[in-house]
Amino acid sequence: MISGEQIQDLGERIGAATGYDREINFDLFNWLYLGRFSGMRGRGHGGGLQYEVREDDRKIIKWSGAGYPMEPPNYTASLDAILGLALAIFPNWTWSVSQNSGEKPEAWLGSPTGNGLLRENNGQGSAPTPALALCAALIDLLDARSLLKSTQPVDE
């Protein structure tokens, strides 16, 4: 799974993005989607996809069959893509994206059963596009959960 440092790095890059960003798409796919299955970068099998990650050219290579290069889903420009990822990680969670006239879009992800006042049950984001706002909300939620884990006592 994704580390706290990777979450913070992604949060900063999403905060600076103004639209489609191939490298953010790559890292969201590699760290969050594929990471749920293998917990590693490199080669593996995850979500029905055999893959090899080549970081020098930031491509996910399909190495079964034809072996042609494929791009990660367009999370930074497609609400459908980023919502699919968010709900794969947090099934049945509630979400919203809204935009008031003249303001940046805002997004929210929240637990359907948890206490909405608890920080680890909410993710919020604001960005120049609706898809980036939802990316920011997902990273905000992951950051809150990462911080919660790092402050819990370790059993000895």
Side-chain angles (χ1 to χ4, degrees), residues 108 111 113-119 121-122 124:
W108 174 81
S111 170
T113 58
N115 179 345
L117 298 177
L118 294 177
R119 176 69 183 94
N121 288 336
N122 290 283
Q124 299 177 28

Side-chain angles (χ1 to χ4, degrees), residues 47-68:
L49 171 72
Q50 288 186 342
Y51 64 93
E52 176 180 353
V53 176
R54 295 185 186 162
E55 296 205 36
D56 56 331
D57 60 4
R58 281 182 141 19
K59 292 246 189 231
I60 296 18
I61 306 296
K62 183 176 180 184
W63 50 280
S64 62
Y68 55 87

